[in-house]
Amino acid sequence: MLLKTFGWSFAVTVIGLALAGVLWGWKGLAIVGILSILEISLSFDNAVINAGILRKMNAFWQKIFLTFGILIAVFGMRLVFPVIIVAITAKMSPVEAVNLAINDKDRYEHLVTAAHPAIAAFGGIFLLMIFLDFIFEERDIKWLGWLEKPLAKLGKLETFSIVVALVALLIAATTVATDVAHGGGDKTATVLLAGVAGLVTYLIVGGISGYFEDKLEEDEEDDEDETAGAEDRGEDGGEAKGSSGARGSTGASVAGLAGKAAFFMFLYLEVIDASFSFDGVIGAFAITNDIFEMALGLGIGAMYIRSLTVFLVRRGTLDDYVYLEHGAHYAIGALAVILLATIKYEINEVITGLVGIVLIGASYWSSVVRNRREAAAGEGAEAKPEVTSGV
């Protein structure tokens, strides 16, 4: 199970580190290794969130996430995305941006860093919406009940999460964006525009995937009702065959809807991954400004996040440790706040990674305690009748 899930990650690690050693020597090998660890530590909560979404998708789309999705994550977000950002902000062609990244690494780093306010505002608001929609939703299982119960009541107000996100954006634009360290000057307009873009992106992609998912569930419920009705009427074999054919037709429709829902969920996953990767890409410049070392190191880390996501899905870890999703969403909320704060302030990536690890670790331990408590209660319930019958 472990080798099957992480086999490609292990292989990419060996090949990547060997390639780094050949191209850049021991120094390059060390840099790529450090970047890989940085990416894993920063994105562990990403794996938990991804697993919560990926388990709703069929095996085909899980494979797409692991193949095509990893190409987007490694080459798209870790290599192409910074180049595109430089091309847009510096108003140059992508070819010129690539040439700059190879031949003038210091200026390339400066331009990527200067674009950080817009990147942080977009990613921060997008991630904040994920956290808010989770925390304002009524749930049967609550981790921090004293906090989640009142917030769930507030969440009954429609668009409340959007209002909170916009208020957070306004606060960021009128405080940390007025005197920015990255690029210098007043970036209020830039932060407002990028933040609104992040909010709109979340509403569009999340709304479309949610629509198809709800439609799929409705069709499945209708199909089950039709089947139950046919069984209650005791239809004969010929009618049953016709009903089966109708169900097959409905099943095809459901499969089509599942495909659409899965497609938009896949897009949603990729946007989430993009938002998570912003801090890793920016933080990587503290270690190296070579885009190829950066892409290789962060790419290896992204492979492990993908494999860890599938591992969590296949092992049913989120079902066994019910507070993990809560911890991951709290980590997302913390990351969103940190991203918005980094518009002006320098926050070490170690702090960002530790916050996520601590929150997820705490939720994991709470899940273990809960499972032990329920197991002990179950054993006690079974033991009690035995003692009574013995008397």
Side-chain angles (χ1 to χ4, degrees):
M1 174 67 178
L2 187 65
L3 186 59
K4 181 179 179 180
T5 305
F6 288 90
W8 278 107
S9 297
F10 295 152
V12 169
T13 301
V14 173
I15 295 172
L17 291 177
L19 185 62
V22 171
L23 294 177
W24 305 298
W26 288 106
K27 182 180 178 181
L29 178 65
I31 288 174
V32 169
I34 292 170
L35 288 173
S36 302
I37 296 171
L38 172 69
E39 178 68 12
I40 294 170
S41 63
L42 287 176
S43 301
F44 186 82
D45 45 355
N46 189 10
V48 179
I49 297 300
N50 287 352
I53 300 172
L54 195 64
R55 63 179 173 173
K56 301 176 184 179
M57 301 163 77
N58 59 27
F60 171 78
W61 280 100
Q62 289 182 10
K63 290 180 180 178
I64 291 292
F65 177 73
L66 275 179
T67 53
F68 186 69
I70 195 62
L71 293 176
I72 296 175
V74 176
F75 297 103
M77 291 310 304
R78 275 73 180 182
L79 183 61
V80 177
F81 174 74
V83 172
I84 293 175
I85 289 295
V86 168
I88 293 173
T89 55
K91 297 180 180 179
M92 61 176 65
S93 70
V95 175
E96 291 175 315
V98 171
N99 182 63
L100 187 70
I102 296 173
N103 299 316
D104 193 351
K105 297 176 182 178
D106 291 336
R107 184 164 177 247
Y108 172 79
E109 177 183 350
H110 172 74
L111 290 173
V112 173
T113 304
H116 178 71
I119 296 171
F122 180 96
I125 294 301
F126 186 92
L127 293 177
L128 184 61
M129 280 299 299
I130 295 175
F131 168 71
L132 293 175
D133 275 353
F134 179 86
I135 202 67
F136 287 143
E137 183 179 346
E138 181 63 43
R139 298 181 178 279
D140 295 331
I141 298 176
K142 296 177 177 63
W143 182 30
L144 306 178
W146 57 271
L147 177 63
E148 294 171 14
K149 287 180 180 179
L151 289 179
K153 292 180 180 178
L154 289 174
K156 293 179 181 179
L157 301 173
E158 290 188 13
T159 70
F160 188 68
S161 59
I162 298 175
V163 172
V164 174
L166 287 174
V167 170
L169 178 60
L170 286 173
I171 292 173
T174 54
T175 55
V176 294
T178 56
D179 185 18
V180 175
H182 303 283
D186 189 343
K187 296 290 184 179
T188 300
T190 299
V191 167
L192 281 174
L193 183 61
V196 170
L199 177 61
V200 170
T201 301
Y202 174 84
L203 293 175
I204 291 175
V205 180
I208 292 175
S209 62
Y211 167 78
F212 281 115
E213 184 181 1
D214 292 340
K215 186 76 168 118
L216 174 61
E217 291 176 357
E218 289 176 7
D219 282 7
E220 286 178 339
E221 289 175 1
D222 292 342
D223 188 44
E224 289 174 0
D225 291 341
E226 289 179 9
T227 303
E231 291 176 352
D232 290 340
R233 290 192 300 270
E235 295 177 346
D236 61 27
E239 291 175 331
K241 288 180 181 178
S243 175
S244 176
R247 288 197 300 274
S249 175
T250 304
S253 174
V254 169
L257 287 171
K260 293 177 183 178
F263 172 72
F264 283 104
M265 282 185 188
F266 173 76
L267 293 182
Y268 182 52
L269 276 173
E270 292 305 320
V271 178
I272 291 176
D273 182 74
S275 301
F276 270 99
S277 68
F278 292 151
D279 58 333
V281 171
I282 297 298
F285 280 107
I287 300 171
T288 180
N289 56 10
D290 188 306
I291 62 169
F292 299 110
E293 289 181 344
M294 194 181 301
L296 189 57
L298 297 179
I300 291 174
M303 280 292 298
Y304 280 96
I305 297 303
R306 283 297 195 278
S307 296
L308 182 59
T309 297
V310 174
F311 179 79
L312 293 174
V313 171
R314 291 176 178 171
R315 288 291 298 268
T317 305
L318 299 184
D319 295 325
D320 296 335
Y321 302 96
V322 295
Y323 297 137
L324 269 181
E325 276 193 280
H326 294 73
H329 278 89
Y330 280 110
I332 281 182
L335 177 58
V337 173
I338 289 172
L339 271 175
L340 294 175
T342 57
I343 293 172
K344 181 176 182 178
Y345 303 105
E346 295 282 351
I347 298 178
N348 194 288
E349 290 73 26
V350 174
I351 296 175
T352 306
L354 284 177
V355 168
I357 291 172
V358 168
L359 286 169
I360 292 177
S363 64
Y364 172 80
W365 177 247
S366 296
S367 300
V368 171
V369 172
R370 177 183 183 273
N371 292 344
R372 289 176 179 174
R373 188 186 302 121
E374 289 190 347
E379 291 176 358
E382 292 177 359
K384 188 173 182 180
E386 293 178 2
V387 174
T388 303
S389 63
V391 174

